[in-house]
Amino acid sequence: VQLQASGGGLVQVGGSLRLSCAASGRTFSQYSMAWFRQAQGKEREFVAATRSGGSTHYSTSVNHRFTISRDSAKNTMYLQMNYLKPEDTAVYYCAATGVRWNSGSLGVESSYDYWGQGTQVTVSS
């Protein structure tokens, strides 16, 4: 599986962005997928995940502001980000795994086998 993240950019506080993650392969619908982010000087952290069955999981820092979704017909996952804050500034990575992890493992970086190249999101105050 190859992943290509896009949609990052510069946005003001309170604004919105939608990230996309295009996946190759015909088994996209069977994969659990996630977004992680890494701010400068910090470790990569979990943002949101979606299982193949459609359930979603969010970190507390983005819950109720970000929405993860997927379109199996387009082999694409999205992250709609609203009410952006300066602390959301980071490089955002998409990831995928064919393993059916329990929900507690979906937020763990090592649970994912495939990673996209990252897209920069900068929120200015």
Side-chain angles (χ1 to χ4, degrees):
V1 175
Q2 291 185 325
L3 305 175
Q4 180 75 35
S6 63
L10 175 64
V11 64
Q12 291 187 333
V13 169
S16 299
L17 276 177
R18 189 176 79 157
L19 305 183
S20 299
C21 177
S24 64
R26 292 176 289 181
T27 57
F28 172 81
S29 62
Q30 300 175 18
Y31 282 80
S32 291
M33 307 211 38
W35 290 96
F36 286 76
R37 67 186 181 186
Q38 187 169 21
Q40 192 170 7
K42 296 186 177 181
E43 293 187 354
R44 190 149 54 182
E45 65 174 2
F46 170 73
V47 175
T50 175
R51 289 179 177 277
S52 58
S55 64
T56 57
H57 306 268
Y58 297 92
S59 70
T60 54
S61 62
V62 307
N63 200 18
H64 304 303
R65 296 190 299 123
F66 291 9
T67 303
I68 189 171
S69 62
R70 61 198 297 165
D71 185 337
S72 294
K74 296 182 178 180
N75 275 16
T76 302
M77 173 180 65
Y78 303 99
L79 185 68
Q80 177 66 44
M81 306 186 294
N82 298 326
Y83 307 107
L84 283 161
K85 305 175 182 180
E87 50 264 44
D88 295 318
T89 295
V91 177
Y92 283 70
Y93 299 89
C94 56
T97 177
V99 177
R100 293 183 62 82
W101 297 105
N102 59 38
S103 58
S105 296
L106 288 176
V108 178
E109 208 175 321
S110 60
S111 297
Y112 295 88
D113 307 302
Y114 308 100
W115 291 85
Q117 85 289 1
T119 184
Q120 175 71 47
V121 172
T122 303
V123 184
S124 65
S125 57

